[in-house]
Amino acid sequence: MAGRRLRSSTVVLGGMGLLALTITSCGSEPDKRCADRTTREPLPSYECRGGSGGSGGSGGGRGSYYYGGSTSSYDGKVQGGSFDKSAVDRGGFGCSKSGGG
């Protein structure tokens, strides 16, 4: 009987993991972190606040938000994402893309 119990709990845990993956990968906002556009070094969030968010100027801070990606454990710089929010798509399993004009 112990083998059967183990299998059923494995199925439940696997199902919960799949549900969690579906919910988290369908997020509307990609991860963002403040970083220097030139060096890609992480900056405190106040360096990105108050910016106009448009192209060009940073609006009071020297940083810009870097979307998606991660911080390298080697040199601490951001990588694998983009400073352009629209270039980072968070669509995942179960997400539908709505086409806009």
Side-chain angles (χ1 to χ4, degrees):
M1 277 302 210
R4 179 172 254 183
R5 176 173 285 191
L6 177 64
R7 277 181 278 196
S8 68
S9 64
T10 302
V11 169
V12 170
L13 290 174
M16 294 301 285
L18 183 60
L19 178 62
L21 179 66
T22 301
I23 291 169
T24 57
S25 62
C26 226
S28 59
E29 286 287 315
D31 293 337
K32 69 179 179 181
R33 55 189 53 85
C34 188
D36 185 290
R37 276 192 169 272
T38 306
T39 65
R40 292 188 171 217
E41 292 177 354
L43 298 171
S45 59
Y46 66 82
E47 291 284 356
C48 289
R49 290 191 188 136
S52 60
S55 60
S58 57
R62 65 184 179 118
S64 296
Y65 282 116
Y66 188 82
Y67 298 94
S70 62
T71 304
S72 170
S73 60
Y74 174 69
D75 60 5
K77 297 181 180 184
V78 294
Q79 62 183 12
S82 176
F83 285 105
D84 181 7
K85 184 178 179 181
S86 63
V88 180
D89 185 12
R90 281 289 298 216
F93 180 77
C95 297
S96 60
K97 291 187 180 182
S98 53

